[in-house]
């Protein structure tokens, strides 16, 4: 049966750990595994502009022995003259996997429904599961583990990053705190899924409007932009709504002394994070950006080789 990665819990907690361990091993031996030798092609679909996703998947597919086929949706028939279902039926006869950076989660779900090759969500409005694999790899590299650690997500609780941190974080056995204004709650389904999974893994979930409560004693502090693509017209309102939710040096001082800071990028210094935090000694942002490459290679290897 074909395996897809539409959202964080399309894999089990054990499989998540397996992928992270494999990512660390592949980082040390970048060309040791070549499941795409041939070369086989991987379709990389982009509805949104991209830097890290495009570069990391392109380089990763090549390192696995394959050919990255970058397709800008604006230059294809996808979503215009051709349905998602028909696109899936065409692509899966020619490529080994499909990676899509899109808007609606339903797009990913429909592509996976009709595809006979793995479909990977490289970003949707609801989830950002590839970033979480990279973040978890980074946390394990810095902390030696993920289970039992506390992570504080500060900012837009309705964002794809907050939703993925809730689900993937508790899958990794972490205590996940989300600090967000009450008008920006996480996706209800992501929240309930995280609570259910936490009972199995020993993690926990807390959503609060209190930034200090979330950050107190945290091992990892995370944020994301307050204005995602498609929300530019809301900049003034969102900037006002999230006043007090910036990650500052004072906020980091509430976390544990060895806490690290993460941000999926692009970052806007002076808004969601201060420059002295993202460019300071506690920042592991650049490690996580690099680990997109290694985590996604490990994910592709897993999906392509796991029965």
């Amino acid at each position: 049966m074909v395996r897809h990665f539409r959202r964080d819990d399309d894999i089990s907690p054990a499989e998540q750990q397996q992928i992270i361990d494999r990512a660390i091993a592949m980082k040390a031996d970048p060309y040791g595994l070549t499941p795409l030798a041939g070369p086989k092609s991987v379709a990389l679909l982009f509805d949104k502009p991209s830097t890290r996703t495009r570069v990391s998947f392109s380089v990763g597919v090549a390192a696995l022995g394959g050919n990255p086929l970058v397709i800008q949706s604006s230059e294809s028939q996808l979503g215009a003259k051709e349905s998602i279902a028909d696109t899936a039926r065409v692509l899966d006869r020619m490529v080994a996997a499909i990676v899509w950076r899109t808007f609606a989660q339903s797009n990913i779900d429909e592509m996976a429904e009709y595809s006979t090759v793995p479909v990977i969500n490289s970003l949707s409005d609801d989830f950002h599961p590839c970033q979480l694999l990279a973040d978890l790899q980074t946390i394990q590299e810095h902390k030696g583990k993920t289970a039992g650690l506390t992570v504080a997500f500060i900012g837009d609780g309705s964002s794809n990053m907050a939703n993925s941190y809730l689900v993937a974080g508790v899958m990794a056995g972490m205590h996940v705190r989300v600090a967000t204004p009450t008008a920006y709650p996480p996706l209800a389904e992501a929240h309930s899924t995280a609570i259910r999974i936490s009972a199995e893994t020993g993690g926990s979930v807390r959503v609060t409007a209190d930034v200090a409560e979330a950050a107190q004693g945290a091992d990892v502090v995370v944020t994301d932009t307050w204005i995602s693509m498609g929300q530019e017209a809301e900049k003034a309102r969102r900037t006002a709504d999230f006043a007090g939710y910036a990650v500052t040096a004072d906020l980091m001082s509430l976390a544990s002394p060895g806490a690290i800071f993460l941000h999926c990028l692009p970052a806007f210094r002076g808004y969601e994070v201060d420059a002295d935090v993202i460019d300071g000694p506690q920042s592991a942002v650049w490690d996580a950006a690099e680990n997109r490459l290694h985590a996604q290679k490990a994910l592709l290897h897993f999906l392509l080789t796991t029965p």
Side-chain angles (χ1 to χ4, degrees):
M1 183 180 70
V2 64
R3 297 289 299 271
H4 302 295
F5 193 54
R6 302 163 304 139
R7 44 182 283 164
D8 304 86
D9 57 340
D10 271 346
I11 54 177
S12 69
E15 289 171 336
Q16 181 195 68
Q17 186 61 57
Q18 177 186 340
I19 292 168
I20 292 167
D21 290 342
R22 183 172 296 168
I24 293 171
M26 295 176 84
K27 187 174 183 177
D29 182 15
Y31 309 107
L33 297 172
T34 55
L36 291 170
K40 300 175 184 177
S41 294
V42 174
L44 308 178
L45 307 179
F46 292 91
D47 292 352
K48 297 182 175 185
S50 171
T51 299
R52 277 153 300 282
T53 299
R54 178 168 179 168
V55 173
S56 59
F57 266 111
S58 294
V59 173
V61 168
L64 293 174
N67 172 55
L69 179 63
V70 176
I71 304 171
Q72 300 292 343
S73 296
S74 60
E75 300 171 357
S76 74
Q77 304 289 2
L78 176 59
K81 294 182 179 180
E82 191 161 57
S83 68
I84 294 172
D86 286 354
T87 299
R89 293 182 178 109
V90 170
L91 288 178
D92 66 13
R93 294 187 175 218
M94 303 183 193
V95 302
I98 299 169
V99 179
W100 196 2
R101 178 179 171 91
T102 187
F103 291 91
Q105 179 68 26
S106 59
N107 292 345
I108 298 288
D109 294 339
E110 184 174 354
M111 185 74 78
E113 179 181 356
Y114 290 95
S115 176
T116 59
V117 300
V119 172
I120 295 173
N121 175 5
S122 59
L123 178 142
S124 71
D125 288 345
D126 289 352
F127 296 100
H128 200 350
C130 288
Q131 182 67 50
L132 261 292
L133 289 177
D135 281 10
L136 291 172
Q137 177 187 346
T138 305
I139 293 167
Q140 182 165 315
E141 288 174 341
H142 279 261
K143 297 293 185 179
K145 63 177 184 177
T146 56
L149 298 181
T150 296
V151 56
F153 182 92
I154 312 295
D156 185 357
S158 66
S159 67
N160 51 17
M161 282 294 292
N163 293 331
S164 277
Y165 254 101
L166 282 171
V167 177
V170 297
M171 286 177 63
M174 301 182 77
H175 303 291
V176 183
R177 304 171 183 169
V178 176
T180 182
T182 55
Y184 295 88
L187 190 68
E189 197 271 336
H191 193 180
S192 62
T193 296
I195 292 172
R196 174 179 56 79
I197 294 173
S198 69
E200 305 168 9
T201 63
S204 65
V205 174
R206 185 191 309 172
V207 178
T208 177
D210 190 329
V211 174
E213 178 187 357
Q216 188 68 48
D219 301 290
V220 185
V221 178
V222 189
T223 193
D224 190 14
T225 178
W226 296 337
I227 302 101
S228 296
M229 278 175 274
Q231 298 175 337
E232 290 81 4
E234 304 173 35
K235 181 176 180 178
R237 177 174 61 81
R238 282 179 160 266
T239 299
D241 288 348
F242 290 109
Y245 285 84
V247 178
T248 63
D250 286 343
L251 184 66
M252 288 297 295
S253 72
L254 299 177
S256 69
I260 61 172
F261 171 74
L262 293 173
H263 190 307
C264 69
L265 303 173
F268 298 91
R269 292 163 176 81
Y271 286 87
E272 74 272 8
V273 61
D274 283 357
D276 57 353
V277 174
I278 191 171
D279 299 319
Q282 291 177 281
S283 177
V285 168
W286 319 114
D287 294 337
E290 177 191 345
N291 284 341
R292 285 289 300 274
L293 168 64
H294 310 299
Q296 289 161 185
K297 285 173 62 181
L299 173 65
L300 277 164
H301 185 272
F302 172 83
L303 294 174
L304 293 167
T305 60
T306 301

